[in-house]
Amino acid sequence: MRIAIIGGGISGLVSAYRLSKDHKITIYEKSAEIGGLLSSYHRKAYSIERYYHHFFSGDRAFLHLLDELNLSDTILWLKGSTGTYQNGTIYPLTTPLEILLYPHLSIFEKFRLALFTKKVKHFDLSHLDTISAEKFLTEQLGEKIYRSFFRPLLNSKFGQNAEKISAAWLVSRVAIRSDRSLGGERLGYLERGFSSFIESLSNTITGYGGEIRINTPVTSIQKAGGEWYINDEPFDAVIATIAPGLLKKTGLDIPDIPYQGAACLTMGLVRPVTQGIYWINLYDDAPYGAVIGHTCFAPRAWYGEDIVYLASYYTGTPPTDLKERMIEDFQRKFSVRSDEILWAEMTRDPYAGPLYLAGYKEQMNMISVPGLVLAGMFSEENYPERSIEGSVRAGLRAAEEIVRMEKNPEVT
Ligand SMILES: Cc1cc2nc3c(=O)[nH]c(=O)nc-3n(C[C@H](O)[C@H](O)[C@H](O)COP(=O)(O)OP(=O)(O)OC[C@H]3O[C@@H](n4cnc5c(N)ncnc54)[C@H](O)[C@@H]3O)c2cc1C
């Protein structure tokens, strides 16, 4: 079959990888490179993801795929230390002692929080989808813990939508991040970054004769006489991996779903600035919600300099001078001189992930277009939080759907 795949991110690449041996694949990617949110900057001496990424020990489909691609030997399980920046001070929050010394919660509140993270894995997500995280946390933990601990985290991730985020999202996040030993969480990363994963998928696809068209946005999708026309070119089947809101712009009648944008600033620095911590959540007001000390996670020797990300999520349009504002605030808060910043690059994507508002699941279930195979961050595999694992599973499922359609054409 001639199969068009719209979007060269993980979902699109994985479905192409699965189908390219037996089918004629064409991937349409609007950007100058593939990988989507998992694409990288290619510096002279190394590649580094445009948005910070790691994976988890429970990411079974992704780990299995790495095995198929002969990349398992490159997996590293690294310590993901965490902390907060509050009232001008960095508080490490990785070890039990650090948590005990944290001054902004009482012993009783810390105990309550610890119990909550222990039982969180047993909550039934289907009942939590329509409840807001705010209501749920206030009921479970009280107003003080919600306001002083969770609210700043929700604010930094969802901004003005923080109050409307579903408890299902929150609970799944806490569950995934509470899988830690006394020394902290172990997170997965690939030796010298994820670009080897993207390259391996791409080489397999093109090796089987698949075509990857970069700089080629899909602007029209039409069905006529049993064929799909993508930018006026005919195909037997189509897998669309882009946001419903973007698919709508191609002329399709599809329900929309709200997304949020992400802006991520990556910097090369001459020295470490996060006191050895990988992930610092900002509780003080700042034009970014987290500072990620990448080289406090991955070995600095791979890069020859320190890599730091500043992460910001937004809805609507971010200010045009966001990069300058971020750098100025970061220099002030973390006492960094301009000559200590070797380079700084900003990437933004207005479609960085669905907004998991209360009631999201019902909206998600309505996303469909007859005859078109859909897979992406809005798919069930990525509920209630999008991830590499979710997009790998969405891509694999889409490929299976195509195989089923081929065997039973009347079903489409
Ligand atoms: C800041 C940030 C940090 C993250 N960190 C992690 C992490 O640590 N661990 C984890 O598991 N997950 C993480 N994720 C999530 C993960 O990156 C995504 O779930 C995954 O990469 C999504 O892949 P996708 O293919 O579904 O979508 P995308 O990566 O969005 O791919 C869609 C592709 O479609 C292209 N496209 C859009 N419109 C068109 C068009 N009209 N025509 C052609 N092409 C088009 C886009 O350019 C893009 O390449 C993070 C995401 C963000 C934003």
Side-chain angles (χ1 to χ4, degrees), residues 235-282:
F235 290 91
D236 303 305
V238 178
I239 297 176
T241 72
I242 62 178
L246 292 170
L247 274 177
K248 236 179 158 51
K249 293 183 187 169
T250 66
L252 285 182
D253 181 18
I254 183 170
D256 204 351
I257 200 166
Y259 266 59
Q260 68 172 346
C264 191
L265 183 77
T266 312
M267 290 176 288
L269 303 175
V270 295
R271 64 177 176 89
V273 295
T274 58
Q275 298 182 9
I277 300 173
Y278 172 46
W279 192 290
I280 298 179
N281 286 309
L282 265 283

Side-chain angles (χ1 to χ4, degrees), residues 1-202:
M1 286 208 291
R2 298 159 303 169
I3 301 164
I5 297 181
I6 306 172
I10 304 299
S11 304
L13 290 172
V14 169
S15 47
Y17 162 80
R18 255 305 178 266
L19 293 165
S20 55
K21 190 166 169 221
D22 299 318
H23 299 279
K24 188 176 174 335
I25 302 293
T26 306
I27 297 181
Y28 289 83
E29 169 53 53
K30 75 164 186 202
S31 313
E33 70 172 314
I34 54 170
L37 294 170
L38 192 55
S39 61
S40 296
Y41 296 114
H42 303 288
R43 312 275 316 159
K44 235 187 202 155
Y46 61 83
S47 293
I48 179 75
E49 294 76 35
R50 290 170 184 270
Y51 300 97
Y52 47 90
H53 273 82
H54 49 248
F55 53 92
F56 303 95
S57 56
D59 290 353
R60 288 171 56 187
F62 177 58
L63 290 169
H64 188 263
L65 181 58
L66 290 176
D67 199 28
E68 272 185 34
L69 295 168
N70 290 324
L71 289 173
S72 289
D73 289 351
T74 68
I75 296 173
L76 298 169
W77 294 104
L78 304 167
K79 186 174 150 187
S81 53
T82 55
T84 62
Y85 182 99
Q86 238 163 322
N87 302 336
T89 304
I90 296 175
Y91 294 99
L93 278 174
T94 304
T95 65
L97 180 65
E98 286 167 353
I99 295 168
L100 210 63
L101 293 173
Y102 178 65
H104 294 282
L105 289 175
S106 69
I107 290 285
F108 173 68
E109 286 161 344
K110 286 173 196 168
F111 182 68
R112 253 186 119 175
L113 205 51
L115 273 185
F116 176 74
T117 53
K118 281 270 168 264
K119 65 177 183 185
V120 89
K121 282 192 182 131
H122 308 292
F123 286 125
D124 178 0
L125 290 186
S126 60
H127 289 116
L128 298 178
D129 189 72
T130 51
I131 305 171
S132 74
E134 178 178 27
K135 182 170 184 293
F136 176 72
L137 288 169
T138 310
E139 277 168 15
Q140 290 283 325
L141 294 165
E143 178 79 17
K144 162 87 192 308
I145 298 184
Y146 169 69
R147 290 263 154 233
S148 62
F149 193 77
F150 283 104
R151 183 62 201 242
L153 295 176
L154 286 167
N155 274 350
S156 72
K157 178 107 180 161
F158 298 108
Q160 69 263 46
N161 292 298
E163 282 169 29
K164 295 183 251 162
I165 293 305
S166 87
W169 178 85
L170 188 277
V171 162
S172 78
R173 275 312 278 177
V174 176
I176 208 167
R177 304 309 295 260
S178 59
D179 212 2
R180 52 176 63 213
S181 66
L182 289 182
E185 199 178 13
R186 291 277 151 189
L187 299 170
Y189 195 64
L190 297 182
E191 207 175 309
R192 294 178 192 279
F194 285 89
S195 59
S196 57
F197 168 60
I198 303 295
E199 248 173 60
S200 181
L201 287 173
S202 146

